[in-house]
Amino acid sequence: MDAPTPTLRALLERRDLHLSLASLPDERDEVALDTPVRWVHSSDLADPTPFLTEGLVLLTTGTQFLDATGDEPFDAYVERLRARGVLALGFGTEVVRDGIPRALADACSRQHMLLFQVPYRTPFIAVARANADAVAAQSYARRSWSLAAQRALSLAALRPDGLGATLAELARQLGTWVGLFDAAGSLTREHPAGELAADVLTRLGSDVGAVLRRGARAGSSIRIDDQPFTLQTLGRGGSLRGVIAIAAGDLDQEGRGVVTAAVAMAGLALEQRQGWDRARALLRTGVWDSLLTGDPALARRISRDLWGGLPAEPLLIAVTDADSARSHTTSEWLELRSEGRRLFYARGEAGLVIVANAQDAGILDEFARATGTRVGVSDPTGYAGLAAAHARAQQARDYSSAPEVDPAPTAERSGSVTHFSTLAAGDLVAVLAGGPGRAIAEATLTPLVTHDRTHGTALVETLRAWLDADASHESAARALGVHRHTVRSRVAHAERILGHELASFPARARLWAALRATATS
């Protein structure tokens, strides 16, 4: 149990000292009564302030006031003490004077300086000793608490979930909220859960993000409204693994020691977890490779023993563009969100793969928003069709990632999620243009585009109108506002440049697809 805080109220409650306040305290005086007293000093100097520090209680017998007349010397004396940060003044009676001078009591009342009487039978040294004992007792109690707290943190770090147990123990020891933000600035753990308001968490997350962007290992203090927070980074400078946020401000030396121990334990747990995560990631990749073979028996056994089993059919296969640099962040996000549901993920050759039950499709949208990644999703499938569904999910992901390609008009997107089924319902040529098809289309049209640019011709425009008119020279001529012989001449010229005739349907279809894919005018 913590020792009582050494305050003036505690001294006044000591019956053996026989101290008493000279007047009833008001609201401002109540604050001073409960402010920790750093030391008790005695002096009869007219100006003892050069020898004092703030947070002291001063004792005097009043010899400095023997020749004082009027209120001015007393007001000036109390004003000097107040400016120096003295908490209270104790007057020893029956040594020089029978009681407390009325002018001193009035000056203390006007300037809200607590004044108490020390009777003749109570030596000043007894008052100073009582406060010193209280300071020593509290210091011993705080050191004992700090040692016990650090021991509890060490034991918590040895539990199966060492990181979570350490943070929970830190919150319990400090009696306040503690949260862990990952390297991406997302809150992954908090103890006690739900204690902070949503707007406070949002602003706290913004400050944590700024700390992570700086990339330097450091501790810092911030204030959100009236709530102070302490931020401690985890990991090495330039490679931060996260931030521990504590809803507390100025901690004493013992409190800082406990936080330092918790940060060290959490950092160690993260490093150990990093190695464990690498091993788990390799195992997950092996399970995924087994699933792709079409014989999921081995994968089912491993998943049942390690993760509680694979998702039930029907399945959605998702492929993301999450790179390896942030793989620990995305994996941790998925690990935390998979609690209470069967969700499998692994890193394959095409990127991070997520296998979920079709009823859990919402987690794919949530993942895309939380991690800022593009996600391609297959049609619902079973384990027998896993390989084909994986290929379709990859196509959907690659389509959404292709530069300068507008989505199919009917494509249904939620954040950065693209479903293969909606691509199939859209423009097939536009979809094919999403990958290497665009490069092939541009290469096909390059000779014509170059000729138009060099000679000021309109071969590309004419071919587009001619193909849109089902190879009708007259219809294309009306659309272009030229003579039909002009259209016929331009088509023949284009055939010579391309090196093949456009009389057959396959040749015309190839050119039409190239024009559609590039949308070149």
Side-chain angles (χ1 to χ4, degrees), residues 423-449:
L423 297 184
D427 188 334
L428 179 59
V429 174
V431 173
L432 294 176
R438 182 178 181 87
I440 295 173
E442 290 175 345
T444 300
L445 297 177
T446 294
L448 297 175
V449 173

Side-chain angles (χ1 to χ4, degrees), residues 121-483:
R121 57 180 168 167
T122 302
F124 282 180
I125 189 64
V127 181
R129 179 62 181 272
N131 185 76
D133 289 345
V135 171
Q138 187 187 50
S139 179
Y140 177 78
R142 290 295 293 170
R143 285 196 300 271
S144 299
W145 165 79
S146 179
L147 292 173
Q150 292 181 50
R151 181 176 181 274
L153 289 171
S154 300
L155 294 175
L158 297 176
R159 297 174 188 169
D161 180 17
L163 180 59
T166 298
L167 295 175
E169 186 62 31
L170 178 61
R172 190 181 73 83
Q173 292 292 340
L174 296 180
T176 189
W177 179 90
V178 174
L180 174 65
F181 291 81
D182 62 19
S186 299
L187 181 67
T188 59
R189 299 172 187 265
E190 60 173 328
H191 305 276
E195 184 170 289
L196 295 187
D199 62 321
V200 174
L201 275 178
T202 299
R203 293 162 63 185
L204 179 60
S206 177
D207 289 324
V208 167
V211 170
L212 291 169
R213 285 190 295 274
R214 286 197 295 269
R217 184 176 182 179
S220 57
S221 298
I222 61 171
R223 183 173 289 273
I224 299 178
D225 296 332
D226 294 330
Q227 174 65 61
F229 288 90
T230 297
L231 306 181
Q232 291 286 339
T233 59
L234 297 174
R236 299 180 298 275
S239 182
L240 298 181
R241 299 295 307 279
V243 172
I244 292 179
I246 304 168
D250 296 330
L251 298 171
D252 60 11
Q253 182 177 353
E254 289 74 19
R256 291 193 298 271
V258 170
V259 171
T260 299
V263 170
M265 296 296 175
L268 179 61
L270 282 175
E271 292 300 324
Q272 292 176 336
R273 182 171 180 174
Q274 188 175 18
W276 174 239
D277 285 346
R278 282 195 293 266
R280 285 165 59 94
L282 290 173
L283 183 59
R284 284 182 177 275
T285 299
V287 170
W288 171 245
D289 290 341
S290 177
L291 288 173
L292 286 179
T293 63
D295 182 13
L298 176 61
R300 288 181 185 276
R301 286 199 302 272
I302 295 176
S303 298
R304 183 177 61 250
D305 294 339
L306 293 180
W307 305 299
L310 292 170
E313 298 177 343
L315 307 171
L316 290 178
I317 312 303
V319 178
T320 82
D321 63 352
D323 54 39
S324 58
R326 58 188 176 191
S327 60
H328 69 275
T329 301
T330 54
S331 297
E332 183 172 337
W333 190 95
L334 289 168
E335 191 72 28
L336 292 172
R337 298 311 187 278
S338 63
E339 295 179 359
R341 67 178 68 160
R342 291 183 178 181
L343 181 72
F344 178 77
Y345 62 92
R347 190 161 294 278
E349 293 183 359
L352 185 68
V353 179
I354 305 173
V355 181
N357 181 268
Q359 294 183 347
D360 289 329
I363 197 172
L364 302 177
D365 300 301
E366 187 182 348
F367 175 84
R369 290 192 299 268
T371 61
T373 57
R374 293 184 176 93
V375 180
V377 184
S378 71
D379 299 334
T381 186
Y383 283 101
L386 204 66
H390 175 247
R392 292 179 176 181
Q394 185 178 349
Q395 290 170 352
R397 189 274 312 270
D398 292 344
Y399 170 74
S400 67
S401 305
E404 302 179 6
V405 178
D406 293 331
T410 57
E412 177 186 332
R413 293 176 182 239
S414 177
S416 298
V417 176
T418 303
H419 294 270
F420 181 84
S421 59
T422 58
L423 297 184
D427 188 334
L428 179 59
V429 174
V431 173
L432 294 176
R438 182 178 181 87
I440 295 173
E442 290 175 345
T444 300
L445 297 177
T446 294
L448 297 175
V449 173
T450 301
H451 189 279
D452 282 347
R453 186 180 300 116
T454 303
H455 298 89
T457 56
L459 299 182
V460 172
E461 179 186 11
T462 301
L463 286 175
R464 186 189 303 278
W466 181 63
L467 291 172
D468 286 343
D470 291 331
S472 169
H473 295 89
E474 291 193 9
S475 297
R478 285 195 297 271
L480 294 172
V482 298
H483 196 275

Side-chain angles (χ1 to χ4, degrees), residues 90-139:
F91 196 90
T93 58
E94 303 174 43
V95 178
V96 177
R97 308 185 65 133
D98 290 339
I100 298 176
R102 171 52 55 187
L104 179 61
D106 291 342
C108 288
S109 178
R110 284 191 293 271
Q111 300 190 48
H112 294 280
M113 171 68 72
L114 282 170
L115 178 65
F116 63 94
Q117 178 178 328
V118 184
Y120 181 80
R121 57 180 168 167
T122 302
F124 282 180
I125 189 64
V127 181
R129 179 62 181 272
N131 185 76
D133 289 345
V135 171
Q138 187 187 50
S139 179

Side-chain angles (χ1 to χ4, degrees), residues 2-11 33-37 131 134-135 138:
D2 288 344
T5 303
T7 62
L8 180 58
R9 188 186 298 276
L11 286 175
L33 275 173
D34 294 316
T35 301
V37 177
N131 185 76
V135 171
Q138 187 187 50

